[in-house]
Amino acid sequence: MLRIAASPRFSLLKRSLATHTITTAPTVVAAPPMRHDWTKDRVKRVYATPLLDLVFRAASVHRQHHDPSKVQLCTLMNIKSGGCSEDCSYCSQSSRYTTATKASRLLEIEPVLEAARKAKENGSTRFCMGAAWRDLAGRKRGFERILEMVREVRKMDMEVCTTLGMLSPTQAKQLKEAGLTAYNHNLDTSREYYPQVITTRTYDDRLDTISHVRDAGISVCSGGILGLGESDADRVGLIWEAANMPEHPESFPVNALVPIKGTPLENNEPVSHHVLLRTIATARIVLPTTIIRLAAGRQGLSENEQAMCFMAGANAVFTGDQMLTTPCSPWDEDKAMLSRWGLEGMRSFEQRSVARKENLGMEEVPAEGGAQSL
């Protein structure tokens, strides 16, 4: 048998390693202050950082402001589909286009509550309800039904979100009084590119609704869609708009366009993964305390591609049976995937900015229906 004798130098090193314990405590890096004075040029420079360096920086910022082991699981339900008078060129719910999506009436309360209970049982802690409307004008009875849906879902100790089109200040206050946690109203893209996508509602209309929501004490969920035909400058412009709001949005959904037959954008090429990754990482750096929500289009990503998005700072997903008009990854698949990564679900109201608007101390955050072990 061949024997290799250890050299005296190796033996000394081995003894040294065995008898010395490193007792230095890990260095805690203080999170830098949040900025509201971003310029487009500065956001552009962040966005243009070499991709791996950008992801590394975003991951570092993420760990300064968030628990990197936590992901918010959200479920979205379409409570009134189709027949919308808007001309959003990506949306199959517009009455202006011939698509497979058919107009339907607003759902009754009980099927919605049943879906919310199912979502909670499967680990979701935020339940979102969407109605295909331009606004709530002339929909008093329908709005009253939605307010009751909000009240009942909130009783389940879940976060409640709606997206109902444009709101007046009074409507926003009514939603807050009913218990609404967050309101989704995406900017979609930059101010400059916006008219190429939508003509029936202005960019300032969207910002006005966001202001009404914020003033009512409701958390703002506002992001955009990639793959509309926009440029890098437009993605920078979208992030810049969110960064210069009086308060950074509580969540920033990043959607990848799912082209739908019959819409003007049906032939658009899918957005590349590196563009999606670069957008998520830039948003994480510029909006450090915001939840970055990997939203529509996620089902088209491989597990490795999704993992990179979470490395870059994404920390929320939609999961369940369906999004508004596009496919969604099922709960079981998502929970198995996240478990492989060592991630677990956030509790309801775990995000500090949300808890503050709900007048909850962290000790009041519900222990059930939240921290789900995946």
Side-chain angles (χ1 to χ4, degrees):
M1 179 184 293
L2 180 65
R3 297 180 181 274
I4 301 176
S7 70
R9 181 178 177 185
F10 177 79
S11 299
L12 180 61
L13 175 61
K14 185 175 180 181
R15 287 196 300 273
S16 175
L17 289 174
T19 57
H20 288 77
T21 303
I22 298 174
T23 58
T24 304
T27 302
V28 177
V29 180
M34 191 158 35
R35 299 182 51 171
H36 293 269
D37 61 346
W38 287 90
T39 64
K40 283 187 181 179
D41 185 63
R42 189 172 183 87
V43 178
K44 179 181 178 181
R45 292 203 301 272
V46 173
Y47 185 90
T49 302
L51 186 58
L52 294 184
D53 290 341
L54 178 63
V55 171
F56 177 80
R57 180 180 171 190
S60 301
V61 170
H62 185 64
R63 281 154 177 76
Q64 290 175 342
H65 294 273
H66 302 267
D67 182 342
S69 70
K70 297 292 184 70
V71 176
Q72 186 185 64
L73 300 180
C74 316
T75 295
L76 176 60
M77 183 178 190
N78 196 338
I79 60 173
K80 190 275 167 194
S81 67
C84 181
S85 62
E86 300 276 30
D87 69 350
C88 307
S89 57
Y90 52 81
C91 186
S92 66
Q93 301 198 85
S94 172
S95 61
R96 298 163 185 256
Y97 314 132
T98 303
T99 70
T101 301
K102 303 304 178 186
S104 68
R105 293 180 179 275
L106 179 66
L107 292 178
E108 296 297 329
I109 295 172
E110 187 49 41
V112 175
L113 300 185
E114 182 179 347
R117 286 189 286 267
K118 180 180 178 182
K120 182 176 180 179
E121 289 168 2
N122 279 282
S124 293
T125 56
R126 175 173 286 192
F127 188 72
C128 307
M129 296 173 282
W133 287 326
R134 169 181 167 81
D135 53 36
L136 291 167
R139 308 185 195 279
K140 183 178 179 180
R141 292 179 62 185
F143 187 43
E144 289 173 351
R145 192 185 307 172
I146 290 172
L147 292 174
E148 186 60 21
M149 293 174 186
V150 171
R151 293 185 193 100
E152 292 301 315
V153 175
R154 182 64 181 83
K155 289 177 183 177
M156 301 178 193
D157 283 332
M158 297 184 78
E159 297 181 21
V160 194
C161 177
T162 57
T163 178
L164 311 170
M166 293 186 288
L167 293 181
S168 69
T170 299
Q171 290 160 348
K173 290 176 183 176
Q174 288 176 283
L175 285 164
K176 174 64 176 179
E177 290 167 359
L180 191 72
T181 310
Y183 193 83
N184 170 258
H185 204 62
N186 289 333
L187 292 176
D188 288 347
T189 187
S190 69
R191 180 182 289 272
E192 292 76 14
Y193 192 68
Y194 183 86
Q196 304 300 314
V197 181
I198 303 157
T199 66
T200 51
R201 183 192 320 190
T202 69
Y203 210 71
D204 286 325
D205 286 337
R206 290 185 181 265
L207 289 171
D208 286 346
T209 288
I210 290 170
S211 293
H212 300 332
V213 167
R214 185 190 308 114
D215 292 345
I218 299 169
S219 294
V220 171
C221 173
S222 186
I225 305 172
L226 309 183
L228 301 174
E230 79 286 349
S231 65
D232 285 341
D234 296 310
R235 298 172 199 123
V236 166
L238 169 66
I239 296 169
W240 176 81
E241 289 281 356
N244 283 278
M245 291 179 180
E247 295 177 5
H248 288 177
E250 169 267 335
S251 57
F252 184 86
V254 179
N255 297 275
L257 177 71
V258 178
I260 298 175
K261 186 177 180 180
T263 65
L265 302 185
E266 65 176 328
N267 294 318
N268 278 32
E269 291 293 323
V271 66
S272 66
H273 179 250
H274 72 84
V275 166
L276 180 65
L277 192 62
R278 188 175 291 280
T279 303
I280 289 170
T282 303
R284 169 50 66 223
I285 292 166
V286 176
L287 307 169
T289 64
T290 295
I291 281 182
I292 307 299
R293 196 177 312 282
L294 185 55
R298 181 171 69 92
Q299 197 179 45
L301 301 177
S302 69
E303 182 167 333
N304 289 341
E305 288 172 331
Q306 292 185 63
M308 283 298 294
C309 291
F310 280 87
M311 178 64 72
N315 58 342
V317 294
F318 283 112
T319 183
D321 296 328
Q322 177 81 16
M323 301 237 346
L324 290 179
T325 60
T326 58
C328 191
S329 296
W331 285 290
D332 288 347
E333 288 183 15
D334 280 339
K335 288 188 284 188
M337 178 180 69
L338 296 177
S339 179
R340 287 192 289 273
W341 301 347
L343 302 179
E344 62 180 15
M346 289 184 190
R347 294 174 294 167
S348 299
F349 312 104
E350 184 167 346
Q351 190 181 10
R352 290 187 180 275
S353 62
V354 171
R356 185 170 59 250
K357 289 198 173 186
E358 296 286 323
N359 295 317
L360 295 174
M362 291 312 291
E363 68 280 359
E364 298 178 76
V365 175
E368 299 296 330
Q372 304 282 341
S373 177
L374 302 179

